[in-house]
Amino acid sequence: NQGGGVAGPIGIFLKTVKEAKRHLISAAVARSVSIFGMYPIDTIKTRMQMEQPNPLRLQGMYKGVGGSLLGQVPYGVLTFGSYEMYKKALLERFPRVKPAFIYALSAILGDLTGSGWLCPSEVVKQQMQAGMYSSTGEAVRNIWKNKRIGGLYQGYLGGVARDVPFRVAQLTSYEVTKNIYLRFKQKRVGGDKPVELSAVDAAVCGAIAGTFSAAVTTPLDRIKTLLMTDSGEFGGTVASCATKIWQDEGIRGFTVGLVPRVVYIAPSVVIFFVVYERTQQTLARTKPE
C-alpha cells in the first residue's frame, strides 16, 4: 500500500478530529473566551517581565489579541488531535507499558506538535504587548524583514522548555487533585454509585492544578518572554538567558511576573472548563453526535 506511511497518521488525525468534533468546537469556544477575557493580565505580566515602566497602563492592553487567538485556537486543535493519534499508536505498539506513562508521553508529543504553529503567534503577541509594534501586520512584516523565518521562531526552545514541564505538571496535579476530590465526594455521598465531577468541580480542580503549574514554571516563562522579545540581548539560548538573569538580578529575576501569571492562568482555567462544559452540553442537545 504505497503512501500508507503518510496517509496512516494523517488519516488517524482527521478521523480523531471528526469523531471529537463536538469536543473540539467546545474547546475552541472555551479557549477563545478565556484568552480574550484574561488577555489584559497576560499583557501586564509581559510588561513586568520586560521591566517596563508603568506595566498597569491601560493603553495597549489588548494589543496582539487577534494574533494570539489565531495561534492559540488552532494550536488547541493540533495538540488535541495529535495527542489522540500518538496515544492510539503508542498503546497499540507498547501494550505492556503502563497507560499513565503513555498518556504523559502522548501529551508531551502533542504539545511539541502544536508548538510549531503556536510559536510565531506568541512572538508577534509578546512584541506587540511590549509596545514594539502597533498592529499584527506591522509586527509580522518587520520581524520577517529583519530576521526572516528565524524571527518568527525566536525563543522557540524557551517556549518548549516552559510548555512541556507546564503540561506535565498541570496534567499530573489535575489528576491527583481530581482523584482526591472524587474520593472525598464518594464518602460524602455514600453508596456504591460512582460519582463524577460537575462543571464547577472540574473548574476548581483545574484552577488548583493551573495555579500550581503556573507558579513552578514562572522562571521558564520569564526566559521565554525575554528570548521572544529581545533574543540577541540574552544570548539567544535558554542557558545564556538564564545565566544573564542570574548575573544581573539573582534569584529574584526568575520570579518576576509570578503573581500576574498565576492570576492569569487560574481564572483562565476556570473560565475554560465552565464554558467548555456549557458549550458541549448545548451542542449535545441541538446536534447530537
Side-chain angles (χ1 to χ4, degrees), residues 107-123:
I108 292 170
L109 291 172
D111 209 75
L112 290 173
T113 301
S115 66
W117 174 276
L118 181 65
C119 187
S121 72
E122 282 288 291
V123 171

Side-chain angles (χ1 to χ4, degrees), residues 46-68:
T46 297
R47 291 171 177 173
M48 288 180 66
Q49 289 181 330
M50 293 184 68
E51 299 186 318
Q52 291 190 349
N54 189 19
L56 297 176
R57 64 185 184 277
L58 295 177
Q59 184 181 5
M61 278 290 186
Y62 273 96
K63 268 191 174 180
V65 68
S68 181

Side-chain angles (χ1 to χ4, degrees), residues 209-225:
T211 299
F212 169 73
S213 50
V216 299
T217 55
T218 293
L220 296 169
D221 187 59
R222 174 98 198 275
I223 290 170
K224 186 216 73 165
T225 296

